[in-house]
Amino acid sequence: MASKQNNSILIIGGGLIGLSIAYQFARNNIPVEVLSRNRSESAGFVAAGMLAAHAEGLTNELLSFGQHSQKLIPEWIKNIEFDSGIECGLKNCGIVVPFKHIDSLKNFPTYQYGQYLKKSELNDEIPGIHSCWNHGLFFPQDGQIDNRRRLMRALERACTVNGVKFQEGTHIKDLIYEKEKFSGVNIVNATGDIQSIFSKKAILCCGAWGKQIFEELPVFPVKGQMFSIQGPIKKIKRILFGPNTYLVPREDGLIIVGATVENQAGFKEGNTPEGIKTLQKGLQSLFPEASIWPHMEHWWGFRPSTPNLKPIIGKSPIKNLFLATGHYRNGVLFSAITSSIIYKLVQNQSMSNAEINFLDKFSINRFL
């Protein structure tokens, strides 16, 4: 068995959260090595890229967490774009949530943050929306990032430019620790060789697969299927966030249609006829005209969920092993603040009262 002493901070998981954290450390001149099984299967590549803290109806600490992250995102994206040379598609397009009944609208958790749209105004914002929708809430503070085609590639390049080392195709066999203190990992690398990598600190952020490495993590996969259609450029200008389906329009007319929520699918790969039919039905109920537009691509992914749908961020029971996982369907929204808080925590930097509160609310201790 080969071994390697590593002065870098190990990032276990090369998805959106892992890359965001790696970038945060690297741009502050701290050596980082990312261990990843297959970055292309991460939730960051399959999500729709919505920044929808208000349109999704988040509440309590999740809403506050999302709002804090949205404030950080413009500067965060600006830095990534500067280092990578890749424009990430950050767009403050606003999100419209339609309702059939006024009572449902008034009972929406983030009702007070939105602008009320009567039926005529709803039709003005989304020309062609199905006639069954009588009211709407418009959240101009919400928007999107083109994560699938731009942000993930930009983060990869920004990390590389700042000296991050990548070891792709690695399978983590187990963690190495003694007396509850982390010291490294045993891996099987891309060529099938077993290797021990020793490091003083590590951050576990491998999404839905986290429990396979650290049994105490109550994280499980929730499968989501999606597809994209090609519509006329600027035909739909706002994100349309329906009760079971959403439409996310990109600048070039591509529209993301998502997403199924399959709690019992485990890690079963592939799109299914049932999943696509469910999305097609949802599309028809929101924007009938778009249901005949050509399909461009179908894909699926696995959201990392926890029993209460809140992330796990902070210290683990093992000293010098930190956790950043369980972001469920808001990894894109939460990535900026998660990477900032983890950086401060690992580097023993001072935090605001809000950040300290987030660490308390999202600690793994609530499950132990």
Side-chain angles (χ1 to χ4, degrees):
M1 177 187 290
S3 64
K4 172 175 129 179
Q5 182 59 47
N6 200 327
N7 293 321
S8 302
I9 290 178
L10 289 182
I11 308 293
I12 304 173
L16 176 59
I17 298 299
L19 291 176
S20 300
I21 294 171
Y23 177 64
Q24 186 74 27
F25 280 92
R27 70 185 305 265
N28 284 284
N29 300 312
I30 298 171
V32 177
E33 182 167 352
V34 176
L35 306 179
S36 178
R37 184 177 68 175
N38 181 2
R39 289 201 300 278
S40 65
E41 70 182 5
S42 76
F45 272 115
V46 300
M50 286 186 291
L51 306 175
H54 307 90
E56 193 160 342
L58 299 181
T59 59
N60 303 319
E61 60 266 25
L62 280 180
L63 175 60
S64 180
F65 198 57
Q67 290 171 328
H68 276 75
S69 198
Q70 279 188 242
K71 292 178 182 178
L72 296 176
I73 282 173
E75 184 68 20
W76 182 65
I77 290 295
K78 181 180 177 181
N79 291 330
I80 294 169
E81 290 179 338
F82 179 82
D83 285 350
S84 69
I86 298 174
E87 198 270 326
C88 295
L90 177 62
K91 186 179 179 184
N92 296 321
C93 58
I95 301 181
V96 171
V97 182
F99 297 87
K100 295 179 180 178
H101 308 289
I102 192 66
D103 288 345
S104 298
L105 180 145
K106 290 183 176 179
N107 288 327
F108 195 68
T110 50
Y111 164 72
Q112 69 270 29
Y113 294 97
Q115 300 175 11
Y116 171 70
L117 302 174
K118 59 185 178 181
K119 192 175 182 70
S120 61
E121 294 170 328
L122 178 61
N123 290 329
D124 288 342
E125 289 291 344
I126 311 286
I129 191 171
H130 197 291
S131 60
C132 69
W133 305 104
N134 299 310
H135 312 274
L137 284 174
F138 175 49
F139 297 97
Q141 63 273 60
D142 289 353
Q144 62 168 291
I145 299 175
D146 192 343
N147 57 294
R148 182 170 169 81
R149 298 183 297 180
R150 300 183 184 182
L151 176 61
M152 289 296 289
R153 299 305 182 194
L155 268 172
E156 289 174 345
R157 185 176 296 178
C159 283
T160 302
V161 166
N162 282 280
V164 174
K165 296 179 180 178
F166 289 93
Q167 193 164 168
E168 183 78 354
T170 62
H171 170 71
I172 308 294
K173 289 190 63 182
D174 50 55
L175 305 172
I176 304 172
Y177 58 94
E178 189 174 347
K179 296 181 180 179
E180 300 304 314
K181 183 176 181 180
F182 174 85
S183 60
V185 293
N186 292 317
I187 71 167
V188 179
N189 64 25
T191 59
D193 298 322
I194 298 175
Q195 182 181 12
S196 296
I197 302 177
F198 295 97
S199 179
K200 293 181 180 179
K201 294 180 180 179
I203 302 151
L204 182 60
C205 42
C206 44
W209 293 266
K211 189 175 179 64
Q212 298 176 3
I213 299 171
F214 188 52
E215 180 65 29
E216 287 85 348
L217 273 178
V219 176
F220 56 92
V222 176
K223 184 178 179 180
Q225 299 184 53
M226 308 174 73
F227 63 75
S228 62
I229 55 179
Q230 185 62 51
I233 294 177
K234 297 184 179 180
K235 174 68 176 180
I236 303 177
K237 297 180 180 180
R238 312 289 191 193
I239 294 172
L240 181 56
F241 199 113
N244 298 303
T245 309
Y246 52 75
L247 310 183
V248 183
R250 304 297 197 213
E251 288 281 357
D252 57 1
L254 191 76
I255 298 170
I256 310 300
V257 182
T260 63
V261 178
E262 301 170 44
N263 293 286
Q264 305 301 320
F267 286 106
K268 187 176 182 180
E269 298 183 351
N271 288 108
T272 64
E274 294 79 11
I276 299 303
K277 286 178 182 178
T278 296
L279 294 175
Q280 191 71 22
K281 183 178 179 180
L283 176 60
Q284 172 70 31
S285 72
L286 283 176
F287 201 88
E289 179 184 348
S291 63
I292 63 171
W293 293 346
H295 286 215
M296 302 302 292
E297 188 179 5
H298 295 181
W299 66 91
W300 73 94
F302 303 105
R303 309 175 185 91
S305 183
T306 64
N308 64 1
L309 306 181
K310 298 176 182 178
I312 298 171
I313 300 170
K315 297 179 179 179
S316 81
I318 301 173
K319 186 177 180 181
N320 295 333
L321 177 68
F322 302 86
L323 306 172
T325 187
H327 291 73
Y328 189 44
R329 55 192 292 165
N330 285 297
V332 178
L333 173 64
F334 293 157
S335 52
I337 193 169
T338 296
S339 57
S340 177
I341 288 178
I342 286 290
Y343 175 77
K344 292 178 181 179
L345 179 65
V346 174
Q347 295 301 107
N348 294 312
Q349 293 188 355
S350 61
M351 298 189 193
S352 67
N353 290 334
E355 291 170 327
I356 293 170
N357 182 61
F358 292 142
L359 284 173
D360 177 61
K361 295 293 186 181
F362 301 143
S363 170
I364 192 176
N365 293 336
R366 70 188 191 269
F367 296 113
L368 299 178

PDB file of all heavy atoms in Angstrom, residues 133 241-246 258-261 278-279 282-283 285-286 329:
ATOM      1  N   TRP A 133     -54.196  29.617 -13.899  1.00  0.00           N
ATOM      2  CA  TRP A 133     -53.506  30.372 -12.849  1.00  0.00           C
ATOM      3  C   TRP A 133     -54.090  31.783 -12.779  1.00  0.00           C
ATOM      4  O   TRP A 133     -54.087  32.519 -13.760  1.00  0.00           O
ATOM      5  CB  TRP A 133     -52.006  30.410 -13.113  1.00  0.00           C
ATOM      6  CG  TRP A 133     -51.428  29.037 -13.266  1.00  0.00           C
ATOM      7  CD1 TRP A 133     -51.058  28.412 -14.427  1.00  0.00           C
ATOM      8  CD2 TRP A 133     -51.190  28.098 -12.220  1.00  0.00           C
ATOM      9  NE1 TRP A 133     -50.597  27.145 -14.166  1.00  0.00           N
ATOM     10  CE2 TRP A 133     -50.674  26.917 -12.818  1.00  0.00           C
ATOM     11  CE3 TRP A 133     -51.361  28.123 -10.839  1.00  0.00           C
ATOM     12  CZ2 TRP A 133     -50.317  25.794 -12.077  1.00  0.00           C
ATOM     13  CZ3 TRP A 133     -51.007  26.993 -10.097  1.00  0.00           C
ATOM     14  CH2 TRP A 133     -50.496  25.853 -10.710  1.00  0.00           C
ATOM     15  N   PHE A 241     -42.046  29.154 -11.370  1.00  0.00           N
ATOM     16  CA  PHE A 241     -41.886  28.152 -10.325  1.00  0.00           C
ATOM     17  C   PHE A 241     -43.262  27.649  -9.902  1.00  0.00           C
ATOM     18  O   PHE A 241     -43.931  28.226  -9.045  1.00  0.00           O
ATOM     19  CB  PHE A 241     -41.156  28.768  -9.124  1.00  0.00           C
ATOM     20  CG  PHE A 241     -40.542  27.777  -8.178  1.00  0.00           C
ATOM     21  CD1 PHE A 241     -39.176  27.686  -8.049  1.00  0.00           C
ATOM     22  CD2 PHE A 241     -41.338  26.930  -7.420  1.00  0.00           C
ATOM     23  CE1 PHE A 241     -38.604  26.777  -7.164  1.00  0.00           C
ATOM     24  CE2 PHE A 241     -40.784  26.016  -6.547  1.00  0.00           C
ATOM     25  CZ  PHE A 241     -39.402  25.934  -6.419  1.00  0.00           C
ATOM     26  N   GLY A 242     -43.702  26.556 -10.539  1.00  0.00           N
ATOM     27  CA  GLY A 242     -44.997  25.966 -10.226  1.00  0.00           C
ATOM     28  C   GLY A 242     -44.918  25.066  -9.014  1.00  0.00           C
ATOM     29  O   GLY A 242     -43.847  24.820  -8.460  1.00  0.00           O
ATOM     30  N   PRO A 243     -46.058  24.506  -8.585  1.00  0.00           N
ATOM     31  CA  PRO A 243     -46.077  23.684  -7.374  1.00  0.00           C
ATOM     32  C   PRO A 243     -45.309  22.374  -7.497  1.00  0.00           C
ATOM     33  O   PRO A 243     -44.783  21.873  -6.519  1.00  0.00           O
ATOM     34  CB  PRO A 243     -47.571  23.426  -7.144  1.00  0.00           C
ATOM     35  CG  PRO A 243     -48.210  23.672  -8.479  1.00  0.00           C
ATOM     36  CD  PRO A 243     -47.398  24.718  -9.144  1.00  0.00           C
ATOM     37  N   ASN A 244     -45.230  21.808  -8.696  1.00  0.00           N
ATOM     38  CA  ASN A 244     -44.509  20.547  -8.873  1.00  0.00           C
ATOM     39  C   ASN A 244     -43.495  20.593 -10.010  1.00  0.00           C
ATOM     40  O   ASN A 244     -42.732  19.640 -10.187  1.00  0.00           O
ATOM     41  CB  ASN A 244     -45.497  19.402  -9.137  1.00  0.00           C
ATOM     42  CG  ASN A 244     -46.446  19.182  -7.985  1.00  0.00           C
ATOM     43  OD1 ASN A 244     -46.026  18.952  -6.860  1.00  0.00           O
ATOM     44  ND2 ASN A 244     -47.745  19.287  -8.250  1.00  0.00           N
ATOM     45  N   THR A 245     -43.496  21.658 -10.758  1.00  0.00           N
ATOM     46  CA  THR A 245     -42.627  21.785 -11.928  1.00  0.00           C
ATOM     47  C   THR A 245     -42.154  23.224 -12.033  1.00  0.00           C
ATOM     48  O   THR A 245     -42.892  24.145 -11.676  1.00  0.00           O
ATOM     49  CB  THR A 245     -43.376  21.396 -13.218  1.00  0.00           C
ATOM     50  OG1 THR A 245     -43.991  20.121 -13.043  1.00  0.00           O
ATOM     51  CG2 THR A 245     -42.427  21.332 -14.407  1.00  0.00           C
ATOM     52  N   TYR A 246     -40.943  23.412 -12.506  1.00  0.00           N
ATOM     53  CA  TYR A 246     -40.446  24.765 -12.747  1.00  0.00           C
ATOM     54  C   TYR A 246     -39.816  24.847 -14.121  1.00  0.00           C
ATOM     55  O   TYR A 246     -39.351  23.845 -14.683  1.00  0.00           O
ATOM     56  CB  TYR A 246     -39.449  25.201 -11.668  1.00  0.00           C
ATOM     57  CG  TYR A 246     -38.312  24.230 -11.416  1.00  0.00           C
ATOM     58  CD1 TYR A 246     -37.254  24.107 -12.306  1.00  0.00           C
ATOM     59  CD2 TYR A 246     -38.286  23.449 -10.255  1.00  0.00           C
ATOM     60  CE1 TYR A 246     -36.218  23.217 -12.077  1.00  0.00           C
ATOM     61  CE2 TYR A 246     -37.249  22.564 -10.012  1.00  0.00           C
ATOM     62  CZ  TYR A 246     -36.216  22.457 -10.921  1.00  0.00           C
ATOM     63  OH  TYR A 246     -35.190  21.584 -10.679  1.00  0.00           O
ATOM     64  N   GLY A 258     -37.848  21.000 -14.657  1.00  0.00           N
ATOM     65  CA  GLY A 258     -37.568  20.069 -13.567  1.00  0.00           C
ATOM     66  C   GLY A 258     -38.605  20.206 -12.464  1.00  0.00           C
ATOM     67  O   GLY A 258     -39.465  21.074 -12.506  1.00  0.00           O
ATOM     68  N   ALA A 259     -38.426  19.422 -11.507  1.00  0.00           N
ATOM     69  CA  ALA A 259     -37.670  18.182 -11.441  1.00  0.00           C
ATOM     70  C   ALA A 259     -38.487  17.234 -10.584  1.00  0.00           C
ATOM     71  O   ALA A 259     -39.233  17.654  -9.702  1.00  0.00           O
ATOM     72  CB  ALA A 259     -36.300  18.410 -10.815  1.00  0.00           C
ATOM     73  N   THR A 260     -38.390  15.959 -10.891  1.00  0.00           N
ATOM     74  CA  THR A 260     -39.093  14.978 -10.069  1.00  0.00           C
ATOM     75  C   THR A 260     -38.438  14.902  -8.692  1.00  0.00           C
ATOM     76  O   THR A 260     -37.276  15.268  -8.511  1.00  0.00           O
ATOM     77  CB  THR A 260     -39.060  13.588 -10.715  1.00  0.00           C
ATOM     78  OG1 THR A 260     -37.702  13.125 -10.800  1.00  0.00           O
ATOM     79  CG2 THR A 260     -39.683  13.607 -12.101  1.00  0.00           C
ATOM     80  N   VAL A 261     -39.193  14.435  -7.716  1.00  0.00           N
ATOM     81  CA  VAL A 261     -38.680  14.237  -6.357  1.00  0.00           C
ATOM     82  C   VAL A 261     -38.965  12.791  -5.985  1.00  0.00           C
ATOM     83  O   VAL A 261     -40.092  12.433  -5.654  1.00  0.00           O
ATOM     84  CB  VAL A 261     -39.352  15.199  -5.357  1.00  0.00           C
ATOM     85  CG1 VAL A 261     -38.829  14.944  -3.943  1.00  0.00           C
ATOM     86  CG2 VAL A 261     -39.110  16.646  -5.762  1.00  0.00           C
ATOM     87  N   THR A 278     -44.192  12.722 -16.078  1.00  0.00           N
ATOM     88  CA  THR A 278     -44.556  13.607 -14.969  1.00  0.00           C
ATOM     89  C   THR A 278     -44.129  15.042 -15.261  1.00  0.00           C
ATOM     90  O   THR A 278     -44.896  15.994 -15.059  1.00  0.00           O
ATOM     91  CB  THR A 278     -43.900  13.124 -13.666  1.00  0.00           C
ATOM     92  OG1 THR A 278     -44.413  11.830 -13.326  1.00  0.00           O
ATOM     93  CG2 THR A 278     -44.171  14.091 -12.520  1.00  0.00           C
ATOM     94  N   LEU A 279     -42.912  15.198 -15.759  1.00  0.00           N
ATOM     95  CA  LEU A 279     -42.417  16.535 -16.096  1.00  0.00           C
ATOM     96  C   LEU A 279     -43.201  17.133 -17.265  1.00  0.00           C
ATOM     97  O   LEU A 279     -43.511  18.328 -17.279  1.00  0.00           O
ATOM     98  CB  LEU A 279     -40.927  16.472 -16.429  1.00  0.00           C
ATOM     99  CG  LEU A 279     -39.985  16.105 -15.288  1.00  0.00           C
ATOM    100  CD1 LEU A 279     -38.558  15.959 -15.803  1.00  0.00           C
ATOM    101  CD2 LEU A 279     -40.040  17.155 -14.187  1.00  0.00           C
ATOM    102  N   GLY A 282     -46.434  18.398 -16.040  1.00  0.00           N
ATOM    103  CA  GLY A 282     -46.243  19.643 -15.314  1.00  0.00           C
ATOM    104  C   GLY A 282     -46.002  20.808 -16.247  1.00  0.00           C
ATOM    105  O   GLY A 282     -46.507  21.923 -16.020  1.00  0.00           O
ATOM    106  N   LEU A 283     -45.224  20.564 -17.302  1.00  0.00           N
ATOM    107  CA  LEU A 283     -44.973  21.601 -18.300  1.00  0.00           C
ATOM    108  C   LEU A 283     -46.272  22.045 -18.960  1.00  0.00           C
ATOM    109  O   LEU A 283     -46.530  23.243 -19.140  1.00  0.00           O
ATOM    110  CB  LEU A 283     -43.987  21.068 -19.340  1.00  0.00           C
ATOM    111  CG  LEU A 283     -43.658  21.968 -20.539  1.00  0.00           C
ATOM    112  CD1 LEU A 283     -43.040  23.268 -20.071  1.00  0.00           C
ATOM    113  CD2 LEU A 283     -42.726  21.239 -21.502  1.00  0.00           C
ATOM    114  N   SER A 285     -49.222  21.938 -17.728  1.00  0.00           N
ATOM    115  CA  SER A 285     -50.072  22.655 -16.770  1.00  0.00           C
ATOM    116  C   SER A 285     -49.590  24.079 -16.523  1.00  0.00           C
ATOM    117  O   SER A 285     -50.362  24.923 -16.054  1.00  0.00           O
ATOM    118  CB  SER A 285     -50.124  21.895 -15.439  1.00  0.00           C
ATOM    119  OG  SER A 285     -48.888  22.006 -14.744  1.00  0.00           O
ATOM    120  N   LEU A 286     -48.326  24.360 -16.810  1.00  0.00           N
ATOM    121  CA  LEU A 286     -47.778  25.693 -16.584  1.00  0.00           C
ATOM    122  C   LEU A 286     -47.772  26.544 -17.849  1.00  0.00           C
ATOM    123  O   LEU A 286     -48.174  27.699 -17.844  1.00  0.00           O
ATOM    124  CB  LEU A 286     -46.343  25.593 -16.042  1.00  0.00           C
ATOM    125  CG  LEU A 286     -46.161  25.233 -14.577  1.00  0.00           C
ATOM    126  CD1 LEU A 286     -44.684  25.080 -14.266  1.00  0.00           C
ATOM    127  CD2 LEU A 286     -46.789  26.274 -13.663  1.00  0.00           C
ATOM    128  N   ARG A 329     -31.950  20.540  -2.310  1.00  0.00           N
ATOM    129  CA  ARG A 329     -32.171  21.127  -3.637  1.00  0.00           C
ATOM    130  C   ARG A 329     -31.666  22.569  -3.727  1.00  0.00           C
ATOM    131  O   ARG A 329     -31.999  23.300  -4.658  1.00  0.00           O
ATOM    132  CB  ARG A 329     -33.651  21.064  -4.007  1.00  0.00           C
ATOM    133  CG  ARG A 329     -34.590  21.691  -3.013  1.00  0.00           C
ATOM    134  CD  ARG A 329     -36.038  21.333  -3.298  1.00  0.00           C
ATOM    135  NE  ARG A 329     -36.522  21.942  -4.534  1.00  0.00           N
ATOM    136  CZ  ARG A 329     -37.635  21.566  -5.169  1.00  0.00           C
ATOM    137  NH1 ARG A 329     -38.344  20.562  -4.689  1.00  0.00           N
ATOM    138  NH2 ARG A 329     -38.021  22.172  -6.259  1.00  0.00           N
TER     139      ARG A 329
END
